[in-house]
Amino acid sequence: MREVIIIGSGPAGYTAAIYTARAGLRPLLIASSVEAGGELMKTTEVENFPGFPEGLQGPELMANLQAQAERFGTEVLLDDVIEVDLKGDVKIVKTGGGETFEAKTVILSTGAAYRELGLAREKELSGHGVSWCATCDGFFFRERTIAVVGGGDSAMEEATFLTRFAAKVYLIHRRDSFKASKIMVERALNNPKIEVVYNSEVAQLHGEAKLTGVQLRNTVDGTTSDLELDGLFIAIGNDPRVWLVENQVELTAEKFIKVEGRSSRTNIAGVFAAGDVIDPTYRQAITAAGSGCVAALDAEHYLQSH
C-alpha cells in the first residue's frame, strides 16, 4: 500500500513528488512511457522559470526536476496509467505494463494538451518559429513579423500581448466573425500593429530549420496565398487530459478537474489535482509547480488526519 501515487510528470507532478518525498511519504510517480516530462519536453528555451538567469532548455528543466524528486526518494515509473478506481478509501491504479498499485492518496497532474492545426512538420517546427504560448515565447520575436491563429478570447489576448514585442501581428481566422468577447475583439482590432486575415486557414508551413512563412487557404473560394512570417502562435484552445478520471472526479464546465477554492482537493476524499489539468487560465510552468506544492501539502495533511 502506497501513501501517495502521483499521475503525471510535468512541473506539477515533480514538485508534488519533491514535497511528498521530503515529507517521508515515498511517492510513486507514474510518468508515462512516451510523454514523460509533459509539454515542456517540446520547449526549447525557457527564460522565465525563476532561479535560472541564463535560461535553460525545457528538457533540461524537467531532467533537473526529476533528479531532485528522485534524490529525496521518489520512485519514477515510465509507464502509462490505463485505469483508476478512486472512489474507495484505497485508490487503485493500473498501468499498461500490467501492474496494479494501491494507495491512500492520489495526485492527478496529467496536464493539458494544446490543440494543434494538424499540419505536416508542425511538431518539428515547435520551438523553431511555431509556438502555443505567447507569454513563454513572445520575447524572442522582438521587431519581427508574426501571426496568431484563432478566433476566441485566448487568440485576441495573445495577439494583443504579442504587439509588445513584434513589429507586425497578423490574426488569422477561418471565419468572418469572432467568437471572442466583444471587448477582447475591440481591443485587438483597435491595435495598429494587428491586421486581421478573415476567412483563412493555415494550409502549410514553410521553412526548413525554422519557420519562414505559411501558405494560407481561403475558406470561401479555396484560393491559396503565401505569407512571410518569423513566428506562428497557435491559439485554438487546449484539452485537459481527464479521460482517465472524467467519470469519477467532478469537472468544471470547461472540462478541467474541479478543485475546492485555492486547494487541490477534488470531490473525492484523498484525491488531489494540480497543474494545467485544473488551470484553463495561466498554464505556466511556475504556476503548475506551485500547484504541485499545494497538492503535496494537502495530501500530507489528509494522511495525517486519517
Side-chain angles (χ1 to χ4, degrees):
M1 172 77 71
R2 305 273 178 162
E3 297 292 318
V4 182
I5 291 177
I6 301 164
I7 303 175
S9 57
Y14 277 129
T15 303
I18 291 166
Y19 272 78
T20 52
R22 289 186 75 249
L25 299 176
R26 301 187 311 264
L28 169 65
L29 185 147
I30 305 177
S32 170
S33 62
V34 293
E35 295 185 323
E39 292 296 306
L40 275 179
M41 296 298 288
K42 307 172 186 175
T43 304
T44 51
E45 199 75 18
V46 178
E47 291 194 327
N48 56 4
F49 198 90
F52 298 93
E54 302 302 319
L56 76 171
Q57 299 291 301
E60 182 184 2
L61 174 60
M62 298 319 302
N64 289 347
L65 287 172
Q66 180 176 343
Q68 190 172 359
E70 290 178 325
R71 173 193 167 197
F72 295 113
T74 299
E75 179 185 348
V76 176
L77 177 63
L78 298 178
D79 202 347
D80 302 299
V81 177
I82 60 171
E83 186 181 343
V84 295
D85 185 352
L86 305 175
K87 295 179 180 178
D89 291 337
V90 176
K91 318 301 179 186
I92 300 170
V93 177
K94 298 181 180 180
T95 70
E99 295 185 88
T100 298
F101 299 96
E102 295 182 346
K104 298 176 184 176
T105 62
V106 167
I107 295 174
L108 303 168
S109 56
T110 47
Y114 291 106
R115 290 179 192 153
E116 299 179 357
L117 296 173
L119 299 174
R121 304 188 62 242
E122 187 172 352
K123 288 185 173 68
E124 184 182 340
L125 289 171
S126 174
H128 301 280
V130 176
S131 174
W132 285 263
C133 181
T135 311
C136 311
D137 299 331
F139 179 82
F140 301 113
F141 294 91
R142 287 188 177 277
E143 298 306 314
R144 303 292 181 87
T145 299
I146 61 178
V148 174
V149 181
D153 278 351
S154 60
M156 301 300 147
E157 187 175 357
E158 299 232 329
T160 303
F161 174 81
L162 287 165
T163 59
R164 301 182 190 181
F165 310 102
K168 174 81 172 183
V169 179
Y170 290 99
L171 184 56
I172 302 168
H173 186 44
R174 62 193 327 273
R175 298 181 178 85
D176 59 4
S177 61
F178 297 108
K179 65 178 180 180
S181 60
K182 183 178 179 181
I183 189 170
M184 295 296 290
V185 172
E186 288 178 350
R187 190 174 297 165
L189 296 185
N190 290 333
N191 192 307
K193 284 189 176 182
I194 295 176
E195 179 180 336
V196 180
V197 184
Y198 291 106
N199 296 320
S200 296
E201 60 186 6
V202 178
Q204 190 175 332
L205 304 176
H206 296 320
E208 294 301 323
K210 64 178 182 179
L211 183 82
T212 58
V214 298
Q215 182 189 79
L216 297 178
R217 180 189 298 117
N218 187 287
T219 56
V220 177
D221 59 23
T223 57
T224 60
S225 60
D226 290 333
L227 181 64
E228 291 186 6
L229 296 172
D230 300 297
L232 180 70
F233 288 79
I234 301 168
I236 56 176
N238 61 350
D239 297 308
R241 296 186 176 102
V242 296
W243 67 268
L244 192 64
V245 298
E246 60 186 344
N247 295 323
Q248 297 184 58
V249 301
E250 186 177 355
L251 305 179
T252 68
E254 298 166 294
K255 301 300 182 182
F256 289 79
I257 295 178
K258 185 176 182 179
V259 293
E260 186 181 311
R262 293 189 64 187
S263 79
S264 66
R265 293 186 294 271
T266 71
N267 63 306
I268 301 176
V271 178
F272 309 90
D276 286 1
V277 76
I278 69 170
D279 177 16
T281 306
Y282 301 105
R283 303 193 304 271
Q284 299 296 301
I286 188 62
T287 53
S291 179
C293 168
V294 169
L297 296 176
D298 284 344
E300 183 184 353
H301 295 156
Y302 174 86
L303 290 165
Q304 287 174 348
S305 65
H306 287 73

